[in-house]
Amino acid sequence: MFLLNFRRIVLLSSGYLTLSLFSQSAFSAEILDQTTKTNAGSTWQVVEPGGDTQCSDGSPYKFHVKPGKTDKLFVFFNGGGACWNAQTCDVRAERKAFVPRADLAHNDPSQHNGIFDLDNPENPVKDWSMVFAPYCTGDVHLGSAQRKYVTADKHEFEIKHAGAANSQAVLQWVEDNMSPEKVVIAGASAGALAAPIYAGRAATMFPNADVLSFADGAAGYRSNQVPKILEQWSVYTPLDINKYAGFQKEMTSFYSFYGVEDKHHSKINFALYDSAEDKVQVMFKKMLGDTDVLVDAIGQTYKSLRSQVAPLSYYLARGDVHTILRFKHFYSTEVDGVRFVDWFNNLLNSRFPDVVDCRSLSGKCQNDALTQQ
């Protein structure tokens, strides 16, 4: 079991969190799956690392741990939007663009389904040690900046883009407490963009372990705004200077990180999931000024990655649901006779699965009958 030598543990109770005001925000599609069967009070513990960690509004950062098999570790970086200017960072907006605090229901693993339904016998990681990293900084877990923003109506406010410090605290706890033989670094939505970088960190921490980077629901973000946004968050400052020397000038998309990590850590396996008409990705692409069709952008990312890294596999499903790991359709999604849960289980067990791509079907990727029921 875990060697619990972290600074502070707070046991969750069933009343620990309630639905946040963000349930009806821009993230209504990804916030919660209330069909979860997880018993929060007896399973998850909260770590409050302190130090330089904080959320966007300066509130405390915390993350969640679940003891399990000591040789298998699943680390999950949660999603929750992004903010990069006064309009997107203004929490007064009716439709918020990001989740600003760690103590909201969205950041409680016991409130999610999918891999967090620990009572489901089909759950391939229910017996693994698990770490859930909340997301509350609007910077895809990678920022290291404190920015002042001014809205059109002259409202001034500051945002702490401290995703890098928060993530480092999570990974430091993992390194201090674990010695796994198999590590999965997974992220959903915003967390998916950080997954390859932190998979590289895991490969450095555990050089004898098998490491998998899994990105859930973010392959469509291909924008010429990316370099400016990464600068706004000061993403490059905390990166390994030896690994990323000169990288900033070469940066053209979030997916350039894959090639760097693969170059330095050849043992990492990379895999991705997306749905072809993902409504949250479509929304953010519009916010970034992108006009290309989402499934075409996803296809471009997959093609680019297959030329950069190996091994790499992906699962492209029909429909418009956003991400899969946290929701019940983790168990029901199927493309061309291949269930996602079976494909993912093969991925975890070193049986690297073939690509599953709805574009190869006669009906292409439209009109998916699957819904979150």
Side-chain angles (χ1 to χ4, degrees):
M1 305 298 282
F2 291 114
L3 298 175
L4 300 179
N5 64 353
F6 41 79
R7 292 190 178 98
R8 185 178 178 187
I9 302 173
V10 181
L11 291 178
L12 290 170
S13 65
S14 58
Y16 176 70
L17 293 174
T18 58
L19 287 175
S20 76
L21 64 135
F22 294 90
S23 298
Q24 301 301 320
S25 73
F27 301 101
S28 59
E30 69 164 324
I31 288 296
L32 292 174
D33 184 336
Q34 298 183 60
T35 63
T36 185
K37 299 176 182 178
T38 302
N39 183 337
S42 63
T43 304
W44 293 92
Q45 298 172 326
V46 175
V47 182
E48 297 181 353
D52 294 331
T53 65
Q54 60 184 323
C55 290
S56 64
D57 61 357
S59 60
Y61 184 72
K62 57 187 69 178
F63 60 93
H64 307 253
V65 298
K66 180 194 76 66
K69 293 182 177 180
T70 57
D71 61 335
K72 295 182 178 181
L73 173 64
F74 193 96
V75 181
F76 178 82
F77 288 88
N78 201 18
C83 89
W84 57 93
N85 54 32
Q87 180 180 1
T88 55
C89 292
D90 188 357
V91 297
R92 302 175 306 163
E94 182 178 355
R95 291 176 63 82
K96 282 74 177 174
F98 76 111
V99 176
R101 296 178 64 93
D103 58 357
L104 302 176
H106 171 70
N107 279 317
D108 178 357
S110 71
Q111 299 299 309
H112 294 286
N113 203 294
I115 59 169
F116 301 109
D117 182 355
L118 304 178
D119 296 324
N120 193 317
E122 286 199 285
N123 186 343
V125 297
K126 62 184 177 65
D127 297 325
W128 288 40
S129 297
M130 299 178 73
V131 177
F132 181 103
Y135 175 55
C136 60
T137 51
D139 57 10
V140 301
H141 294 275
L142 297 175
S144 64
Q146 182 168 317
R147 299 296 188 202
K148 178 179 288 187
Y149 296 98
V150 182
T151 62
D153 62 356
K154 308 302 182 183
H155 172 61
E156 295 187 8
F157 60 95
E158 287 189 343
I159 293 291
K160 282 79 173 176
H161 296 298
N166 296 349
S167 300
Q168 180 56 39
V170 172
L171 295 175
Q172 187 62 59
W173 184 92
V174 166
E175 184 174 20
D176 291 344
N177 289 278
M178 300 295 298
S179 55
E181 298 175 7
K182 182 174 294 187
V183 182
V184 176
I185 304 294
S189 194
L193 298 173
I197 289 179
Y198 294 133
R201 299 273 180 90
T204 298
M205 293 189 301
F206 307 115
N208 296 319
D210 294 326
V211 179
L212 169 68
S213 167
F214 186 79
D216 177 12
Y221 300 131
R222 303 180 62 84
S223 170
N224 58 12
Q225 298 297 316
V226 169
K228 295 179 181 178
I229 292 172
L230 295 181
E231 285 278 8
Q232 181 70 8
W233 295 334
S234 293
V235 165
Y236 303 105
T237 301
L239 294 179
D240 185 332
I241 191 171
N242 295 315
K243 185 187 296 185
Y244 284 91
F247 178 69
Q248 181 173 349
K249 296 179 181 179
E250 302 171 7
M251 186 64 174
T252 57
S253 81
F254 290 108
Y255 304 97
S256 301
F257 292 125
Y258 282 81
V260 175
E261 296 301 339
D262 183 67
K263 179 180 178 180
H264 287 81
H265 304 285
S266 59
K267 289 184 62 177
I268 300 177
N269 292 335
F270 298 91
L272 306 90
Y273 165 89
D274 289 277
S275 61
E277 298 173 291
D278 181 333
K279 52 192 172 186
V280 173
Q281 288 198 61
V282 169
M283 178 189 70
F284 269 101
K285 282 175 67 63
K286 290 179 179 178
M287 293 169 65
L288 290 167
D290 294 347
T291 58
D292 56 339
V293 176
L294 175 63
V295 71
D296 294 339
I298 291 172
Q300 291 174 28
T301 295
Y302 291 167
K303 181 179 180 180
S304 174
L305 291 181
R306 297 198 82 177
S307 69
Q308 294 180 52
V309 303
L312 178 136
S313 189
Y314 61 83
Y315 191 111
L316 179 60
R318 295 171 171 174
D320 65 357
V321 294
H322 182 54
T323 76
I324 195 168
L325 292 178
R326 298 170 296 184
F327 299 105
K328 63 188 175 183
H329 58 271
F330 176 89
Y331 300 100
S332 59
T333 295
E334 182 176 315
V335 174
D336 200 20
V338 180
R339 292 199 311 155
F340 177 80
V341 64
D342 297 329
W343 181 90
F344 192 73
N345 193 37
N346 285 335
L347 193 65
L348 297 182
N349 287 286
S350 302
R351 298 187 296 271
F352 211 70
D354 293 335
V355 163
V356 175
D357 192 330
C358 62
R359 294 175 299 172
S360 66
L361 304 178
S362 59
K364 298 185 178 180
C365 295
Q366 286 71 42
N367 302 318
D368 189 4
L370 290 175
T371 58
Q372 296 183 48
Q373 298 176 348

